């Protein structure tokens, strides 16, 4: 895992204007796996994705993608290299149609018929609504469009920020099924979710983030069965809000 990681963070610290949010964060994403980042509100999940995608710069540590440090690379260069971030607000072009949004996602290459077919195959509702403007879609359909648009650029790593936010349970299941299907096509997915139960159910591996650092790592099913995770994040007893490290920094 350490050597074949497609994306890795080593000792990353980052934040906003002098406010450090991520502290010595390390994580790995290998080719074709779903890795979930779970943690409470404000734990630094979104900040992690922003740091990977070049919106924020690490103040220390390194982000390595496909064997190369991302330092100095612009977000557009990272997208061109296959590292693509779907932000929580989805950032769709509201007045443009579904088909036009998908075409925009393919900006670095032609929107091939195959790529479009794949996107529509993954989300058939988008095919039915291809001539409808994005702003008139439901929240779930907009989330599907945001993911489908990201796929049009041919990513190797897809980073999804809270794709289930605001969605009804049925649509959430549809989105998470699509995440599995995307992984099965060989794309690695880094999934940020506040709904830890859902994220762990779909993840091959996961990290629990607290105060900007990874306090636990393991298989999705393994973490879902971990007593500390169950208490702190799966709403079992709520007795222990934190997992934490001891004073020597051990988990
Ligand atoms: P949430 O689920 O609430 O988005 P999160 O784990 O994704 O939680 P982040 O959004 O990464 O957490 O936020 C981590 C911390 O960084 C929070 O304390 C937040 O207030 C702060 N923060 C986020 N964005 C900014 C910003 N643009 N400027 C300053 N502080 C920020």
């Amino acid at each position: 895992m350490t050597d074949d990681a497609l994306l890795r963070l080593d000792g990353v610290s980052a934040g906003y204007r002098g406010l450090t949010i991520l502290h010595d964060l390390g994580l790995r994403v290998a080719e074709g796996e779903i890795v979930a980042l779970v943690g409470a509100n404000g734990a630094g999940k979104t900040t992690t994705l922003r740091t990977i995608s070049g919106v924020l710069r690490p103040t220390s540590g390194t982000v390595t993608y496909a064997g190369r440090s991302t330092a100095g690379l612009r977000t557009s260069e990272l997208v061109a290299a296959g590292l693509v971030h779907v932000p929580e607000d989805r950032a769709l072009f509201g007045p443009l149609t579904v088909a036009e949004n998908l075409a925009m996602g393919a900006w670095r290459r032609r929107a091939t018929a195959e790529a479009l077919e794949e996107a529509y195959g993954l989300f058939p509702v988008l095919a039915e609504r291809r001539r409808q403007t994005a702003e008139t879609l439901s929240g779930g359909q907009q989330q599907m469009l945001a993911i489908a648009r990201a796929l049009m650029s041919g990513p190797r790593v897809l980073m999804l920020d809270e794709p289930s936010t605001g969605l009804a349970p049925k649509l959430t299941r549809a989105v998470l099924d699509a995440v599995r299907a995307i992984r099965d096509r060989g794309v690695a997915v880094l999934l940020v979710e506040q709904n830890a139960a859902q994220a762990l159910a779909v993840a091959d591996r996961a990290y629990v983030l607290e105060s900007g650092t990874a306090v636990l790592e393991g298989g999705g099913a393994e973490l879902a069965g971990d007593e500390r995770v169950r208490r702190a994040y799966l709403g079992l007893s709520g007795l222990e809000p934190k997992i934490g490290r001891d004073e020597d920094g051990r988990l």
Side-chain angles (χ1 to χ4, degrees), residues 14-17 19-22 37-50 56 88 161-162 165 192-194 209 211-212:
Y16 306 92
R17 277 194 221 103
L19 179 68
T20 302
I21 302 296
L22 304 183
L37 271 186
V38 301
N41 241 324
K45 304 181 297 296
T46 297
T47 303
T48 302
L49 297 192
R50 287 188 187 139
L56 295 173
E88 191 176 358
D161 196 350
E162 308 263 3
T165 296
V192 159
E193 266 296 339
Q194 259 195 66
L209 219 60
S211 306

Side-chain angles (χ1 to χ4, degrees), residues 5 36 61 64-65 99 146 159 197 200 209 213 222 228 235 249:
T64 309
Y65 170 65
M159 296 188 280
L200 295 177
L209 219 60
T213 201
E222 180 193 345
R228 294 162 296 177

